[in-house]
Amino acid sequence: MPATVDAEQIDRIVWNQHHDPFEILGPHMVQQDGQTVWAVRAYLPQAEKAWVVLPEEHKEVPMEPNHNPHFFECVLQVQDLANYQLKYVIGDHIHVIYDPYAFKTRAITDFDIHLFSEGNHHRIYEKLGAHFTEVEGVTGVYFAVWAPNARNASVLGDFNYWDGRKHQMRRLSNGIWDLFIPGLDIGTHYKYEIKNYDGHIYEKSDPYGFQQEIRPKTASIVTDLDSYAWQDADWMEKRRQTEPLTQPVSIYELHVGSWLHESSASPALRPDGSLEPVVTVAELKPGARFLTYRELADRLIPYVKELGFTHIELLPVAEHPFDGSWGYQVTGYYAVTSRYGTPEDFMYFVDQCHANGIGVIVDWVPGHFPKDGHGLAFFDGTHLYEHADPRKGEHKEWGTLVFNYGRNEVRNFLVANAIFWFEKYHIDGIRVDAVASMLYLNYFRKDGEWVANDYGGCEHIEAADFLRQVNHVLFTYFPGVLSIAEESTAWPMVSWPTYVGGLGFNLKWNMGWMHDMLDYFNMDPWFRQFHQNNVTFSIWYAFTENFMLALSHDEVVHGKSNMLGKMPGDEWQKFANLRCLYTYMFMHPGKKTLFMSMEFGQWSEWNVWGDLEWHLLEHQPHASLKHFMGKLNEFYRSEPALFTQDFDQAGFEWIDCSDTRHSVVAFIRRDKGSDDFVVVVCNFTPQPHSHYRVGVPESGYYRELFNSDARDFGGSNMGNLGGKWSEDWSFHNRPYSLDLTLPPLGVIVLKLTSEETQKALSGQ
């Protein structure tokens, strides 16, 4: 049989050096002896014999080696070669497959590539990555990867014995490589083999892969994210029509891997009868393992619901290689970590949260990524996702790399990733980690170790533009969600809309308030009289941004002690201080975040390798603090004055903030939709005060709605016997006043009762 392709072309295939193997392999119409015939070519490494199988004709046509013992071809005089198969022998095994190079249809279009190239393909994850599909009546998996500086790209997997010669991809425009491999199914393990022009080979997990193997393995797994039957349509519709900034937001922040472990190494049973993966934790006692997402749903949701939090915030659940990184060094941005189960298991967890009225927030890390060889670093043999200049592309303090936000395709990768978590997993918010590190080119860099922007400044203009883009797109698609910035500097308008020049977040962590309050509560109460400014300063800027008051995981690690250990005094005073701090926090304008273990007063710092100290709940002070936390959340959620005007000056009013001698402050919180208001009085010393007079704007009976010193909470039970009538005694520039008893290290909240209630009380 005369050869239909020359030796040089065959060598390019054999040595995996062809940018488009479809030009050589698969079916081709050629002229031979004056006739138009089909030439079928296949490169089958290790194969000894090969045939073309024509199923409709029940015919097998032998193929002949050409130039290389494993490069086969044959010539067929047939009208149609649709869905032919290749049969070949390796040792004692016979294989029959559909020829991948017979399927030339592309799932990614020129328009997709155009949008991706300009950074505006918001659902590029539906095109790039691995997708189970059907082409020309044959099922298989379509692979596509962006590697513009690669010489060649191949798909590796169990199906080809991880041999990059067997499934070579073709290069499309803008450096996208694709290949449809028939016969593969959901659950297939795979990677990409990327070869650069120097001949170096990199085996990479799929940047757009939806699932990865359990660490320490790193292969991606073909997954269908559309098979789960969601039950949260009512929740999603209500969220779409709700403005979250006028609602109570009280977030329970946790790290899934250290909230609680299962003590048995036996795998848990899923509802469908299959077994959960067993992921052991070497640093714990033998037999300990992580809870699965489904077990977490069964145990965490009732606990959070009992405590009254509105949301659960998860430290990053995107795939990461090292447990001790807390999830913040992400290698699989589109893959929920398999430590705790499958993507469908995580969907179940979110669905169950919504069924119980709890929103889900996920920490998102677009600021940096690790250098692990299977990840994004040096992806195609060049600095593709990161800056090539280490003065812009590396966080030396963290040992990580910085995204190149000026490259459209990289920015598109991240913008689409944010959309992905809301679209596929129905989450209700993201907390964007380390925003300050993104916004400043000199962040944690010494002079000479950073590069100024085009205007000579230290502001990272491309990163700021990226954040504006992601928030604009996010709220366009998903009104009613939360986008929270962990931003610790004075960068202006972080939580302002993009159309006025803001970064577009709708909440920003108030790091200043956190530091001021922890410094204040850490000092002996006698010294607090000299530091009243710590308490009052936050109100000066409270309405310049939409602030989130956060006591987070960062405050209970690295030698900082847990919350209870920060408090001065004996054990009783420590618990009283903590109740006082929490109550002031929940009365202060702004939404709230509290890290796990703070709700019951853990003594030890957070340990990522262990459980929380749940045994402490056997002791009354800790059980009482947990009970207090539930009642505080319940009270917070029941009083619109405490949340409807968090970001409006009209919602807050000082009564008195100048009583430094007693370390007492008093203020009013007002509701937006009514004339309701509450009076909050805080005593930050262990000295109770009787006959303490506080001015109020209206006359009547003020019921004491909440007292952090209540006996049920472990307090001394000092208070005002349920409430106080106002007196016609002008005080604090108010026409009326209350004669109050202030409990030690306590906060009391009072509310003017209705006229009907006052008449009934007067009648008594």
Side-chain angles (χ1 to χ4, degrees):
M1 178 187 70
T4 62
V5 63
D6 62 43
E8 187 271 336
Q9 294 279 56
I10 295 173
D11 283 341
R12 290 178 65 191
I13 294 295
V14 170
W15 292 103
N16 196 357
Q17 294 177 347
H18 206 296
H19 72 283
D20 185 3
F22 284 87
E23 289 184 359
I24 308 300
L25 301 176
H28 296 268
M29 298 189 73
V30 298
Q31 293 293 320
Q32 194 172 79
D33 298 331
Q35 293 182 317
T36 301
V37 295
W38 285 102
V40 178
R41 311 184 194 110
Y43 178 47
L44 304 170
Q46 300 177 309
E48 300 157 13
K49 297 179 181 180
W51 297 261
V52 172
V53 179
L54 304 175
E56 294 184 2
E57 300 183 18
H58 304 285
K59 184 178 179 181
E60 295 181 0
V61 180
M63 305 182 76
E64 299 294 332
N66 183 3
H67 184 65
N68 181 283
H70 307 299
F71 186 94
F72 298 91
E73 68 173 328
C74 71
V75 173
L76 301 169
Q77 293 183 347
V78 294
Q79 293 296 319
D80 188 8
L81 269 179
N83 294 345
Y84 71 87
Q85 295 172 310
L86 297 175
K87 177 181 175 181
Y88 59 96
V89 176
I90 299 179
D92 296 331
H93 299 281
I94 298 176
H95 304 265
V96 179
I97 63 169
Y98 286 102
D99 186 357
Y101 300 100
F103 299 87
K104 298 185 179 182
T105 303
R106 290 166 37 187
I108 186 166
T109 67
D110 289 338
F111 187 57
D112 291 323
I113 296 174
H114 169 76
L115 290 176
F116 179 58
S117 300
E118 65 179 23
N120 288 320
H121 199 310
H122 301 154
R123 290 185 171 87
I124 189 62
Y125 52 84
E126 294 179 350
K127 298 295 184 174
L128 295 180
H131 302 276
F132 180 75
T133 187
E134 182 179 305
V135 177
E136 299 174 17
V138 178
T139 60
V141 176
Y142 179 80
F143 297 92
V145 63
W146 179 59
N149 302 305
R151 186 179 70 182
N152 297 93
S154 301
V155 184
L156 305 175
D158 294 330
F159 50 88
N160 62 16
Y161 304 100
W162 302 90
D163 186 340
R165 300 172 298 171
K166 295 186 176 181
H167 289 99
Q168 302 174 36
M169 306 177 79
R170 86 182 140 188
R171 183 187 179 102
L172 308 177
S173 59
N174 195 36
I176 291 174
W177 302 78
D178 80 330
L179 182 66
F180 172 72
I181 303 181
L184 299 188
D185 206 342
I186 292 169
T188 297
H189 293 53
Y190 71 99
K191 281 187 176 182
Y192 296 114
E193 179 184 279
I194 309 293
K195 185 185 296 183
N196 70 6
Y197 281 91
D198 293 327
H200 298 150
I201 294 176
Y202 306 87
E203 292 188 2
K204 295 289 187 176
S205 301
D206 190 346
Y208 292 87
F210 296 154
Q211 187 179 0
Q212 285 188 12
E213 292 180 292
I214 296 174
R215 71 344 167 214
K217 295 182 178 180
T218 57
S220 300
I221 303 174
V222 178
T223 306
D224 179 11
L225 296 184
D226 297 322
S227 60
Y228 181 79
W230 288 93
Q231 305 295 318
D232 63 348
D234 291 343
W235 169 277
M236 299 293 280
E237 179 60 24
K238 181 180 178 181
R239 186 187 75 184
R240 189 180 69 82
Q241 298 181 12
T242 300
E243 170 50 68
L245 299 186
T246 62
Q247 301 301 310
V249 176
S250 171
I251 299 170
Y252 185 73
E253 182 194 35
L254 83 149
H255 175 255
V256 175
S258 56
W259 184 74
L260 179 67
H261 293 89
E262 179 58 59
S263 60
S264 171
S266 300
L269 202 63
R270 291 195 181 105
D272 64 2
S274 60
L275 294 179
E276 299 281 5
V278 175
V279 185
T280 57
V281 187
E283 290 77 5
L284 291 175
K285 59 187 178 182
R289 66 168 177 84
F290 292 131
L291 293 180
T292 66
Y293 295 117
R294 290 178 183 267
E295 290 172 331
L296 195 71
D298 294 339
R299 302 191 193 188
L300 175 64
I301 293 173
Y303 181 78
V304 171
K305 195 171 182 180
E306 177 191 2
L307 287 170
F309 288 95
T310 63
H311 293 74
I312 292 170
E313 179 184 325
L314 304 171
L315 270 62
V317 291
E319 195 58 81
H320 52 282
F322 178 50
D323 297 347
S325 74
W326 309 345
Y328 288 104
Q329 297 203 10
V330 177
T331 51
Y333 276 81
Y334 286 82
V336 65
T337 178
S338 2
R339 284 170 176 78
Y340 319 121
T342 67
E344 190 169 284
D345 295 336
F346 184 64
M347 293 174 185
Y348 173 83
F349 170 78
V350 175
D351 211 5
Q352 289 302 303
C353 284
H354 291 171
N356 285 274
I358 298 172
V360 177
I361 298 169
V362 169
D363 278 15
W364 188 52
V365 194
H368 62 119
F369 59 92
K371 300 177 181 179
D372 295 68
H374 67 281
L376 298 176
F378 215 64
F379 186 79
D380 63 355
T382 67
H383 298 282
L384 183 63
Y385 285 89
E386 69 273 22
H387 282 281
D389 188 338
R391 294 175 298 173
K392 295 181 71 175
E394 185 174 0
H395 275 309
K396 292 187 177 180
E397 290 278 335
W398 300 340
T400 55
L401 301 174
V402 181
F403 283 104
N404 184 351
Y405 305 105
R407 179 169 281 165
N408 290 346
E409 295 87 351
V410 173
R411 194 171 63 251
N412 200 147
F413 170 82
L414 292 169
V415 171
N417 184 243
I419 299 302
F420 167 84
W421 285 96
F422 288 90
E423 180 80 21
K424 297 299 184 181
Y425 288 106
H426 290 204
I427 66 168
D428 303 286
I430 52 174
R431 189 209 66 129
V432 183
D433 179 64
V435 171
S437 75
M438 301 169 63
L439 292 175
Y440 294 95
L441 294 164
N442 61 346
Y443 185 86
F444 270 119
R445 293 184 175 93
K446 300 175 184 178
D447 290 344
E449 295 182 353
W450 60 280
V451 181
N453 62 34
D454 291 343
Y455 304 97
C458 63
E459 298 81 8
H460 198 326
I461 297 172
E462 293 90 349
D465 288 342
F466 156 70
L467 291 171
R468 292 188 184 97
Q469 181 185 3
V470 73
N471 283 317
H472 173 76
V473 171
L474 185 63
F475 291 119
T476 299
Y477 284 117
F478 305 103
V481 301
L482 296 173
S483 180
I484 308 165
E486 185 209 6
E487 206 285 319
S488 54
T489 73
W491 187 285
M493 302 190 296
V494 172
S495 59
W496 289 36
T498 56
Y499 58 78
V500 296
L503 294 183
F505 294 94
N506 55 5
L507 286 169
K508 170 185 172 174
W509 271 19
N510 193 336
M511 310 293 275
W513 174 89
M514 179 271 295
H515 285 296
D516 285 346
M517 293 311 299
L518 292 184
D519 289 346
Y520 183 80
F521 272 87
N522 188 54
M523 66 181 68
D524 185 282
W526 188 85
F527 293 100
R528 291 176 184 174
Q529 61 186 307
F530 308 112
H531 298 274
Q532 188 94 334
N533 185 60
N534 281 46
V535 177
T536 60
F537 180 64
S538 59
I539 299 301
W540 281 97
Y541 61 85
F543 308 106
T544 61
E545 298 275 6
N546 301 334
F547 281 118
M548 166 77 71
L549 308 183
L551 297 174
S552 76
H553 63 277
D554 283 326
E555 311 320 314
V556 293
V557 290
H558 304 322
K560 298 176 186 176
S561 178
N562 212 309
M563 294 301 296
L564 203 56
K566 299 178 192 291
M567 303 295 116
D570 59 22
E571 183 177 286
W572 187 92
Q573 290 190 20
K574 287 180 181 293
F575 278 95
N577 267 299
L578 205 51
R579 293 193 304 272
C580 185
L581 169 59
Y582 291 165
T583 309
Y584 177 66
M585 172 185 181
F586 273 69
M587 301 305 108
H588 189 288
K591 307 309 181 184
K592 331 294 176 185
T593 293
L594 208 67
F595 185 58
M596 66 182 191
S597 80
M598 294 181 182
E599 76 276 11
F600 63 82
Q602 178 166 306
W603 288 102
S604 300
E605 288 188 340
W606 169 46
N607 175 15
V608 71
W609 305 112
D611 291 338
L612 302 186
E613 295 179 334
W614 295 108
H615 64 277
L616 293 176
L617 289 173
E618 299 173 8
H619 304 282
Q620 191 57 50
H622 297 275
S624 296
L625 181 61
K626 175 176 172 284
H627 174 65
F628 156 82
M629 199 68 240
K631 290 298 183 181
L632 178 60
N633 264 313
E634 179 183 341
F635 173 62
Y636 164 67
R637 296 174 69 166
S638 69
E639 286 298 327
L642 297 177
F643 55 79
T644 56
Q645 293 197 99
D646 272 325
F647 313 115
D648 190 331
Q649 179 69 59
F652 178 90
E653 193 176 330
W654 281 120
I655 295 175
D656 180 36
C657 62
S658 60
D659 187 2
T660 59
R661 186 167 68 90
H662 296 102
S663 297
V664 171
V665 297
F667 55 88
I668 292 172
R669 294 295 309 276
R670 294 186 181 276
D671 179 28
K672 183 177 184 179
S674 69
D675 295 329
D676 283 356
F677 64 91
V678 295
V679 174
V680 181
V681 187
C682 310
N683 175 18
F684 295 119
T685 73
Q687 176 64 49
H689 302 296
S690 58
H691 302 295
Y692 191 95
R693 190 161 294 278
V694 173
V696 290
E698 298 181 29
S699 65
Y701 183 75
Y702 285 76
R703 187 184 299 278
E704 187 177 273
L705 298 180
F706 194 85
N707 184 342
S708 69
D709 190 51
R711 179 181 291 113
D712 283 352
F713 305 152
S716 64
N717 210 40
M718 293 188 68
N720 297 278
L721 301 176
K724 282 294 184 76
W725 285 95
S726 65
E727 299 177 11
D728 294 337
W729 184 341
S730 178
F731 207 73
H732 291 142
N733 294 318
R734 312 282 172 174
Y736 312 100
S737 60
L738 301 174
D739 180 3
L740 298 173
T741 296
L742 302 187
L745 294 169
V747 178
I748 60 173
V749 187
L750 305 105
K751 183 177 182 180
L752 182 65
T753 58
S754 65
E755 292 184 10
E756 292 77 6
T757 302
Q758 294 181 34
K759 290 178 182 178
L761 290 169
S762 300
Q764 295 175 355

